[in-house]
Amino acid sequence: MQAYLDHNATSPLRPKAREAVLAALSTGNPSSVHGMGRAARAWVESAREQVAAFVGADPKAVTFTSGATESIALALSPDMEIDGRPVRFDALLVSGVEHPAVRAGGRFAADRIEIIPVDSDGVVDLIGLGALMGGRRALVSVMAANNEFGAIEPVRTVADLVRGAGGVFHCDAVQIVGRMPFDLENIGADLISISSHKLGGPQGAGALIARDDRIRIPPLLRGGGQERGHRAGTENVAAIAGFGAAADEARRNGAAESVHVAALRDRLEAGIRAVAPDVTILSATAARLPNTTCFATPGIAAETAVIAFDLEGVAVSAGSACSSGKVGPSQALKAMQVAPQIAHGAVRASLGWNSTEADVDRFLEVWARVHAALTERRATKAA
Ligand code: PLP
């Protein structure tokens, strides 16, 4: 029996999203005026409404992109127009636990990117943020929830601080949407980035969403006038249609899914601890996403554990699998000053819309075997 516990990497396609992708595959170009073009346009615009309703935004504020990485690269621009006036930011401030897409800094020069410190749970240090902003106009990017260990960031407070200091706040909301209730107005960010495949939509679609129309960002991709001039290039109609359907499903079922996965995750963690009382669960004392657990056991390397799980049909990942299965402690764990032996052992299990009790049973059955085999191997090596 297979068990998929890697929703933070990609959440399997929801049936409604699959239907929408297939139905939208044979349309024309949304910019064409004929019937096939208008059919394609209808898919894109209805997805825009679904995505906007999902996060509590105005559909006009949604710019479709190829995914969150592109959305973030578009958002992190040192030049913007705010209320019709050009603005240049002195610095880009990003938290130490951001995804590499944010740490890369978009169009900012490397010497303009500064790191906001975090505590040992990976939660951003608000005093540190205040000190970094002091007297400068900054663009600040702090994620709503972390992809590796699930810590939830105090983004509402960050938004108030940044705006109070005359800055602009971009929030990587990729992991929070669909996992917990989310509303753009409540979190107060000026800009958010989200991704279709993290919520059960297809890969290859994402969005940059603005709180209002005060901000204009120079496009990253120039050419045609698609997406109201924010992003040139023929829209990926099928992926966008699937994204819309997934967002709609997540809006309708998200609250129930969140309660369901929280109960599964708690059982999973209790089972992990029962087998390995010396386990460390990262960010255990912080507010966390209900679907994520990141754990490390002394002497068990994450990549060895992930392979052992995989051989038994259980999909989990080592630290952050978002960065193409790269092995090695992540920058985020380094920023949290996690001890190297813990960071090397960090295994992430993440649940989602189609997770079941049977997935947890299977994971725990395999965990007991993997733990016994790897601790025995370690004991034999040491002897
Ligand atoms: N931000 C976070 C927090 C993520 O987990 C990911 C996942 O890869 C991304 C950004 C990038 O998203 P995408 O795969 O849509 O480019």
Side-chain angles (χ1 to χ4, degrees):
M1 206 190 98
Q2 304 283 313
Y4 186 82
L5 291 89
D6 206 11
H7 283 254
N8 288 10
T10 283
S11 189
L13 200 58
R14 294 177 189 257
K16 287 262 166 57
R18 179 186 302 274
E19 276 170 30
V21 168
L22 293 175
L25 267 176
S26 25
T27 44
N29 186 320
S31 299
S32 300
V33 293
H34 49 63
M36 290 285 277
R38 290 198 307 277
R41 170 62 50 207
W43 277 113
V44 172
E45 296 316 319
S46 116
R48 200 183 307 281
E49 277 170 23
Q50 288 168 313
V51 168
F54 174 51
V55 298
D58 179 345
K60 287 205 249 2
V62 176
T63 300
F64 285 122
T65 60
S66 62
T69 299
E70 185 196 324
S71 159
I72 292 164
L74 173 60
L76 303 187
S77 166
D79 295 294
M80 292 186 185
E81 212 180 274
I82 305 180
D83 293 326
R85 279 192 293 274
V87 165
R88 172 155 267 259
F89 296 106
D90 301 319
L92 170 66
L93 310 180
V94 307
S95 90
V97 293
E98 295 301 309
H99 186 275
V102 170
R103 295 179 73 97
R107 284 173 273 181
F108 278 81
D111 63 358
R112 291 287 154 130
I113 307 169
E114 295 173 36
I115 306 291
I116 311 161
V118 293
D119 69 13
S120 58
D121 279 324
V123 176
V124 76
D125 171 357
L126 295 168
I127 297 175
L129 168 61
L132 280 173
M133 277 189 311
R136 298 189 292 178
R137 190 193 280 271
L139 175 62
V140 175
S141 191
V142 173
M143 66 200 333
N146 184 270
N147 47 305
E148 294 176 51
F149 39 85
I152 294 170
E153 300 293 344
V155 283
R156 174 77 237 189
T157 315
V158 171
D160 293 342
L161 270 174
V162 174
R163 240 196 309 282
V168 166
F169 176 38
H170 166 262
C171 176
D172 173 347
V174 166
Q175 294 291 349
I176 205 160
V177 295
R179 319 239 189 279
M180 289 186 66
F182 178 88
D183 181 79
L184 181 54
E185 195 51 46
N186 287 347
I187 72 147
D190 297 298
L191 299 160
I192 61 166
S193 294
I194 65 171
S195 175
S196 158
H197 72 109
K198 307 291 182 176
L199 46 107
Q203 293 156 345
L208 178 63
I209 305 172
R211 203 159 60 103
D212 50 42
D213 55 11
R214 292 178 50 232
I215 300 179
R216 267 200 87 84
I217 305 173
L220 196 56
L221 299 180
R222 293 167 198 278
Q226 291 91 347
E227 296 297 289
R228 297 169 159 258
H230 295 303
R231 199 263 186 190
T234 301
E235 298 86 340
N236 184 350
V237 179
I240 289 172
F243 182 17
D248 193 50
E249 283 285 281
R251 182 177 63 80
R252 291 170 199 278
N253 307 333
E257 286 171 5
S258 171
V259 171
H260 174 64
V261 296
L264 293 181
R265 197 273 309 270
D266 289 349
R267 193 158 79 77
L268 189 89
E269 285 190 353
I272 293 172
R273 282 190 202 280
V275 168
D278 56 350
V279 75
T280 299
I281 295 191
L282 289 152
S283 294
T285 55
R288 265 188 306 156
L289 288 175
N291 76 317
T292 306
T293 187
C294 186
F295 63 98
T297 320
I300 299 185
E303 54 272 35
T304 317
V306 168
I307 292 166
F309 271 114
D310 185 45
L311 289 173
E312 301 233 32
V314 175
V316 291
S317 52
S320 167
C322 278
S323 29
S324 68
K326 264 189 257 157
V327 180
S330 74
Q331 291 297 326
L333 299 186
K334 281 191 194 154
M336 289 156 70
Q337 303 193 338
V338 170
Q341 64 274 25
I342 302 285
H344 280 290
V347 173
R348 178 186 69 189
S350 51
L351 304 157
W353 68 270
N354 66 350
S355 297
T356 61
E357 295 282 349
D359 292 330
V360 175
D361 292 342
R362 178 71 185 150
F363 171 92
L364 291 176
E365 186 194 318
V366 173
W367 168 236
R369 278 202 293 278
V370 167
H371 182 264
L374 296 181
T375 32
E376 191 186 302
R377 197 200 295 175
R378 183 171 42 137
T380 320
K381 264 197 198 156

